[in-house]
Amino acid sequence: MRANGTATANSTKDLVKEISVLKAQLKKLSTSIEKDAGGALGEIQTKSKEAIDEVIETAQAFIDGYSDSARETTKALLNKSAELRDEATETLIETVKARPIATLATVIGIGFLAGYLCRRS
């Protein structure tokens, strides 16, 4: 029996040693995985930042292109409206000079019509 008890004690010690070795190996494996995962995460983060920066640059170029186009269109519309305003002013002045009595009668008629409509409401 005594030999059997010594064999059990030796196997327990061997088992404890093996468990310690396995713990050390698992710790090394865990550290290695953390390093690999950290490197992969860093690489993913770098690639993500690059992709986001590229998208932002593309969007900014797109917006700049349309803002330039909008400025040019706005400037053209302003110039055209100024031309139309000047033409309308000139036409009105010519009409008043050519037919002053008809213009006065028209203005009086519009005044009476506006007064009638305002009084009615």
Side-chain angles (χ1 to χ4, degrees):
M1 279 209 132
R2 194 166 189 122
N4 193 11
T6 305
T8 304
N10 284 338
S11 65
T12 304
K13 286 180 183 180
D14 291 339
L15 188 60
V16 169
K17 285 180 185 178
E18 286 183 37
I19 290 174
S20 296
V21 169
L22 285 173
K23 280 184 181 180
Q25 289 176 347
L26 284 173
K27 189 171 184 177
K28 286 180 184 178
L29 181 62
S30 175
T31 304
S32 174
I33 289 173
E34 284 177 8
K35 286 180 183 177
D36 291 344
L41 286 176
E43 186 176 333
I44 289 171
Q45 186 178 15
T46 302
K47 295 279 186 185
S48 298
K49 283 181 182 179
E50 290 172 0
I52 290 171
D53 289 343
E54 184 177 325
V55 168
I56 289 172
E57 287 174 12
T58 303
Q60 188 64 43
F62 183 75
I63 290 169
D64 290 343
Y66 272 103
S67 67
D68 291 342
S69 175
R71 274 191 215 111
E72 292 171 5
T73 303
T74 303
K75 188 182 257 186
L77 288 172
L78 286 173
N79 290 337
K80 185 66 176 174
S81 66
E83 289 174 13
L84 290 173
R85 181 196 65 220
D86 293 341
E87 288 176 16
T89 303
E90 289 174 16
T91 303
L92 181 63
I93 291 171
E94 289 174 7
T95 303
V96 170
K97 285 182 180 179
R99 300 182 184 154
I101 295 177
T103 304
L104 182 60
T106 302
V107 171
I108 291 172
I110 291 173
F112 278 120
L113 181 62
Y116 176 75
L117 291 175
C118 288
R119 184 175 48 151
R120 220 174 129 192
S121 297

